[in-house]
Amino acid sequence: MAVTETSRPDPDVHREHVAQARAALLDPAVERIVEMVIGHDAETDTFDVAAPDGSVRFGRTPDGDHWRFEVLEVAGRDPLGNQDAGHLAPIEAELEVRHPHRTANAYPYAFETIAQLFDAASPPDLISVHTAAHNWEDQGGHRGEHGSLDVIQARAPFIIAGAGVRSDGLVDRSCRLVDVAPTVAALMGVAERTGTGESGQVREDALLARQDGDVLRDVLDEREAAPRHVVGFLLDGANANVLYAAAASGLAPNIARLMAMGTSYRHGAMSSLPTVTLANHTSILTGAHPGHHGILHNAWWDRGTQQQIVTNSPAHWMTAMAGLDPGVETLFQAIERTWPGDVTASVNEPCDTGATYTTMGRLRAGEMPDRPPAVIPHTTERFVRPDKEYTWSTKIDHTAVEQVVGLWSGQYGGREWPLPRFSWVNFSLTDAALHEGGPHSEVAEAAIRDTDGRLGEVLAAVERSGRWDQTAFFLVADHGMEESNPEVTGNWADALDATGLAYRDEGYGFIYVNP
């Protein structure tokens, strides 16, 4: 949504206009849909987070290659007062408090996940964070939602298992998605390098060029040899509580197998703000926050070029990595740096920079994967027939399995392949289904069952290769998914329009005043 653009006024006028927009977003008329409004003062490098019932201002100072955060001022209730990553876990706790009110919610790692966004070249003036209950019905929304800072929408599952990994089961710990790439790199034995840390300072122990995350040493079994191969699975939009419960109930036996042989974090891996798809796919595969790797959102505004940047659409999906910051290194590139010539595979993944085999690379070259058969294995026909999104994602995920299984067989696409040192597989069905029905629905259950069957095909291919004992596995999502309230609809456009200000609202929540 956009209002007629004008040239940007002088800084004092601009600050006044941003303050007007902030006040409009905090108006009681939109309190049911606005959880909090976030802003940044670039002159003082301080951050203001305001909810209808209170606000907090915090700052940061470098602490080596990380940041140290300090609360500077609180008025009323501190909207970031609860940053407990274990809040509303396990699933029984989530079901007791569906779409929790802001006073009963938590925002893990809030300081850093807010601050990183404003390090970007074109950050928004304000970020409007929607409530847990908000249903984007008038913007094509669904029963399941994400994008917010809150714990359920941020919490992705984290499971790691196999060669070189400790078998500690389900533990009461949490991490961040930016920790995943450094952990996998350490597990594999990627060569250290001098890099840049979260604070922008030199990081001497980096495994990736821009490394905001840290190695999760507690999951690594350093008594064992490093794995020769690693396979990573992303279940887009998977709610961690729901996924773990599905494994425990027998609905997802292949995921349960991985959990039984490795270590899983009950409190999950927290995605970076905004908790949306490609921003966090890229964070998982680079170890950098969106504000540092350059893929800020599904859509954002570049003030310098006066262009809207869109990544999460069929027209832009294949070329989204054109916006990846050149100072960032993907896991694929780090593996090539360490083991030149070894094969890496990026299957159904836009963040494919540096991969040897890449689905998106084939599409960019005009090639198309084989058409799926009329009857697709591991498919719940009840939902495929009436639901176009379920149908489309089922076809996409089936072709993903065909590609990775083919690569692990040594023969795919009319050529021979060495077994990949690193294989990355993105499954999309879970996101489509959990959006459609919400995370606790029958369609969500069907999607998890179908995806687990496809994941099992990949595990079977690794076993057939004879390399099972030399392979590690990990499973994550790009964000969580929360059940919204169909009665809490609407958007904040009317409140912003009433100010008479020129603005752009990109990705629904990135507010650019006087764009």
Side-chain angles (χ1 to χ4, degrees), residues 329-363:
E329 186 178 36
T330 66
L331 260 176
F332 306 114
Q333 291 172 310
I335 291 166
E336 170 64 23
R337 169 171 55 82
T338 306
W339 299 285
D342 276 15
V343 169
T344 56
S346 172
V347 177
N348 192 25
E349 172 58 58
C351 183
D352 61 349
T353 304
T356 315
Y357 174 88
T358 155
T359 308
M360 298 302 155
R362 292 183 64 192
L363 294 173

Side-chain angles (χ1 to χ4, degrees), residues 14-27 37 125-126 492 495-496 499 501-503 511-513:
H14 185 69
R15 277 192 291 271
E16 180 183 335
H17 288 180
V18 171
Q20 290 177 34
R22 176 181 180 274
L25 291 166
L26 291 171
D27 189 283
V37 181
D125 293 300
L126 297 169
W492 42 74
L496 288 172
T499 66
L501 297 170
Y503 73 93
I511 312 298
Y512 296 83
V513 180

